[in-house]
Amino acid sequence: MHDILFVNARIIDTEAGLASDLVDVRISGGRIAEIGPKLDCPAATRIDANGRFMLAGLIDCHVHPFLADANISRLAEVPPTLMSARAVRILERMLQRGFTSVRDAAGADWGIRQAVEEGLIKGPRLFIAGRALSQTGGHGDFRSRTDDHDVCHCQHALAFTSRIADGIDDVRRAVREELRKGADQIKIMVSGGASSPHDPLERNQYSPSEISVIVEEAERRGTYVMAHAYGADAIRVALECGVRTIEHGNMIDQATAELAAAKGAYLVPTLTTYEVLAETASESSWSEAMLAKLALVREAGLESIRICRAAGVKLGFGTDLLGDSFDEQSREFLIRSQVESPAQILDSATRVNAEIVGQVDQLGVIKSGAIADLLLLDRNPLEYLSVLQDQGEHIAVIVKDGAIIKNRL
């Protein structure tokens, strides 16, 4: 791997909300080796940024590249081969939009992660959850009401999405099984959801005793639990049981947000998916009940961010897109800009998300010793968030793991 020397770049500090003066950045061995003025490395590949803005590689902490259908139940007709082929295209396009890392929130397995690591797929590095855990009748139970069979061990895309586990012993075994199969973190469903047909949105799922055991098993292996949750009470129970990240969280209230802040937990909003699902409702064949749930969470999304910002909750960045809508990934920046500053949003999508995936000072920052994931942007994203739109068109250079993925200079 050859050294790379960027000259005349302005580094974006997302935490401070500032762009640096012109500096040089040397990359060696896949990491940022040196930052300073007028660096010299004759053997390096030299790239003149010409005053462009350098941002750490983006991180999306809630993706589903294996759920390539907005109507999730239809995935029961999709074999793993087709599912994987679709996921490859989705991941490759994510990388071209500047997302050098993503956290899969159910569906991906260690095989697709390994394919990325071996360079067989040019996609973002993956932090996988394996199959999400759901109670019977919960957000991960997609059986029809006329289906009286036990959950099958089928080999189709829907079967990779979730597993049913009930009771202390069953959830304990399920966590151990997902970790055995290579999960980086554990995903659970603790409230109803919009995309599942029969579970009420406002009702809690999983008992505190079950959640506590799930958290215990994850922590024993040095990892954590991420929880799908909408209602304030479901979020509260999850936080009290030690869940580390709350996914969505649209219906959180002030008291619960203060509890999240006190516990140092994270909330990962996913607003763009609600907009896209509402716009494509006729194509997804969602039921009226599902669309009604979607309308509720969509309306509450921006207010949940206001509440959490005021309470001091650490906010990550996610998208939760399904089907053919993955090209809307960067739209999340614009939606959140209605209630947050560009610096806050960019910090969520870089430094804070790096904390969530356990990569503090390794990902999400541009500093000596960090992994060399970085973007060179035509305009200052602190002033023009639109520079991240248009499928990466305004990203001049993309570097992942110290390797040039894209270079149009």
Side-chain angles (χ1 to χ4, degrees), residues 271-281 321-322 325 328 331:
L271 305 188
T272 188
T273 191
Y274 311 123
E275 300 301 315
V276 174
L277 288 169
E279 292 164 1
T280 59
L321 293 162
L322 305 170
S325 64
E328 301 284 348
R331 186 175 172 185

Side-chain angles (χ1 to χ4, degrees), residues 353-403:
N353 273 1
E355 290 181 6
I356 290 175
V357 298
Q359 295 292 313
V360 175
D361 291 334
Q362 300 299 304
L363 299 175
V365 293
I366 297 176
K367 61 187 297 185
S368 294
I371 295 170
D373 282 13
L374 53 88
L375 317 176
L376 204 58
L377 307 175
D378 291 337
R379 306 182 78 179
N380 186 349
L382 297 170
E383 299 175 1
Y384 303 98
L385 271 177
S386 58
V387 77
L388 296 173
Q389 304 303 303
D390 303 319
Q391 310 306 316
E393 180 181 337
H394 313 295
I395 306 175
V397 178
I398 299 173
V399 174
K400 179 195 166 200
D401 274 327

Side-chain angles (χ1 to χ4, degrees), residues 23 39 44 47 51 60 82 186 280-281 299 338 340 366 378 391 396:
V23 295
L39 299 181
I47 300 176
D60 189 332
L82 178 57
I186 296 297
T280 59
E299 182 179 357
Q338 298 174 68
E340 294 177 286
I366 297 176
D378 291 337
Q391 310 306 316

Side-chain angles (χ1 to χ4, degrees), residues 5 91 119 122 143 167 172 180 182 209 213 218 249 261 293 300 333 337-338 363 366 384-385 399:
L5 180 62
L91 290 169
K122 289 186 177 180
R143 292 173 297 174
R172 191 187 300 277
R180 180 190 71 82
S209 57
V213 165
K293 292 192 287 185
F333 293 102
S337 69
Q338 298 174 68
L363 299 175
I366 297 176
Y384 303 98
L385 271 177
V399 174

